[in-house]
Amino acid sequence: MTDFKSAKKITTHTLREMKEEAVKISMITSYDYSLAKIVDAAGIDVILVGDSASNVMAGHETTLPITLDQMIYHASSVVRGIKRALVVVDLPFGSYQGNSKEALNSAIRIMKESGAHAVKLEGGREVKDSVERIVSAGVPVMGHLGLTPQSIYKFGTYVVRAREEEEAARLREDALLLQEAGCFSIVLEKIPAVLAAEVAASLKIPVIGIGAGNQVDGQVLVIHDMLGINKEFQPRFLRRYLNLYDEIKGAVTKYIDDVKVGDFPNEQEQY
Ligand code: KIV
């Protein structure tokens, strides 16, 4: 079995091999240099510069407001922090839905200006032409089906998608279409685990889940959620590995107290 941990660089080909050898793929979001550096040193396979930056970095309610320029800024900061991980960048809302030429131009800007390795976009049959055009220009594309947050105003809610057979059938078809169009991988967000398992088993390309159960080829989480920086977001699929909100608040409170009572800096901390 291949030793993927010692791989110097993770590529889209590495991910395909990992699927073939049934080695799970780890993916997490990052939006800045310092966290990306830590995440990469920990050995993550894929870093997603998600448009969730719109929520967790900028405080917007949805992912819709973030711009292509802002995504490029986040992505180039991440790229400067990594040595090994594959960096995938979300094409933001409004930068690809117009037509495939617009999609290609946006993907090219991301690749040229950030140094990232791949782009991700949301949707199925409606983005097939764009996927084909971007891939034919040599840019790897990751798909995203199920709950697609850029369409939140169409869905009206963030509940689990594709519970009904009609929507599940459409998702199965879309997943196959995206594979045929040239996607190297697909994210499935917030769909029943049984459906996600079926799709993963039917595709040659790796399927990465978020709220899609364990029988897929890898998992992705938003870093602010899994570190517990963001306390308000509590979906069932989220496992919190730290409670950084309280840790950071506690440390800053202590710093404020130390400054106020004149305990910081002490003699060793001055020149
Ligand atoms: O933007 C993002 O963070 C994402 C993940 C939730 C998959 O698209």
Side-chain angles (χ1 to χ4, degrees):
M1 192 191 250
T2 313
D3 175 18
F4 292 105
K5 274 194 192 143
S6 62
K8 286 215 164 61
K9 283 260 176 218
I10 300 294
T11 67
T12 57
H13 300 278
T14 322
L15 302 184
R16 184 73 170 254
E17 283 166 23
M18 288 169 95
K19 172 156 183 151
E20 280 158 13
E21 297 193 27
V23 173
K24 297 270 189 184
I25 297 164
S26 59
M27 171 161 147
I28 201 163
T29 66
S30 297
Y31 317 97
D32 69 311
Y33 167 81
S34 301
L35 271 186
K37 203 169 166 188
I38 299 172
V39 160
D40 187 65
I44 202 82
D45 297 314
V46 185
I47 293 182
L48 173 65
V49 184
D51 58 359
S52 48
S54 178
N55 309 111
V56 297
M57 299 299 289
H60 292 295
E61 214 170 290
T62 72
T63 57
L64 275 64
I66 199 158
T67 66
L68 188 56
D69 285 338
Q70 287 164 341
M71 289 303 296
I72 289 168
Y73 167 77
H74 286 298
S76 50
S77 308
V78 165
V79 168
R80 283 192 288 274
I82 63 109
K83 290 196 172 90
R84 175 181 179 275
L86 181 85
V87 178
V88 182
V89 184
D90 264 329
L91 284 171
F93 178 69
S95 74
Y96 64 96
Q97 288 90 347
N99 55 57
S100 64
K101 186 163 184 276
E102 180 187 47
L104 176 63
N105 289 341
S106 301
I108 287 176
R109 275 204 63 201
I110 287 180
M111 301 299 281
K112 255 187 183 309
E113 296 176 40
S114 76
H117 312 126
V119 298
K120 172 163 91 58
L121 46 72
E122 297 183 4
R125 59 205 71 194
E126 64 280 11
V127 295
K128 185 171 176 280
D129 290 350
S130 298
V131 171
E132 280 170 351
R133 194 151 181 184
I134 298 170
V135 172
S136 72
V139 177
V141 179
M142 181 178 263
H144 185 155
L145 295 170
L147 177 67
T148 46
Q150 291 179 11
S151 307
I152 187 58
Y153 291 115
K154 184 175 102 187
F155 297 144
T157 142
Y158 286 98
V159 294
V160 179
R161 305 301 314 173
R163 277 196 193 279
E164 305 301 327
E165 184 42 38
E166 197 182 325
E167 195 181 337
R170 192 178 162 90
L171 187 143
R172 284 186 204 97
E173 282 172 21
D174 280 346
L176 210 55
L177 276 177
L178 289 178
Q179 174 173 272
E180 281 163 15
C183 280
F184 72 92
S185 173
I186 297 177
V187 166
L188 291 182
E189 180 165 355
K190 223 171 171 187
I191 63 167
V194 173
L195 175 62
E198 193 194 317
V199 172
S202 72
L203 296 186
K204 292 197 171 66
I205 57 174
V207 170
I208 312 291
I210 174 163
N214 199 13
Q215 297 308 302
V216 287
D217 306 305
Q219 299 292 329
V220 56
L221 283 177
V222 170
I223 194 162
H224 287 64
D225 300 338
M226 62 83 78
L227 293 180
I229 297 176
N230 178 13
K231 274 187 119 170
E232 300 87 42
F233 189 57
Q234 297 273 10
R236 187 205 293 203
F237 67 76
L238 175 62
R239 186 178 294 180
R240 281 196 205 292
Y241 288 82
L242 278 178
N243 182 359
L244 269 194
Y245 180 93
D246 288 339
E247 296 263 333
I248 294 172
K249 191 165 170 230
V252 175
T253 306
K254 179 80 176 73
Y255 166 69
I256 294 168
D257 291 347
D258 289 352
V259 170
K260 298 281 181 193
V261 299
D263 180 56
F264 176 78
N266 62 26
E267 283 200 7
Q268 286 74 47
E269 292 163 331
Q270 63 195 17
Y271 300 98

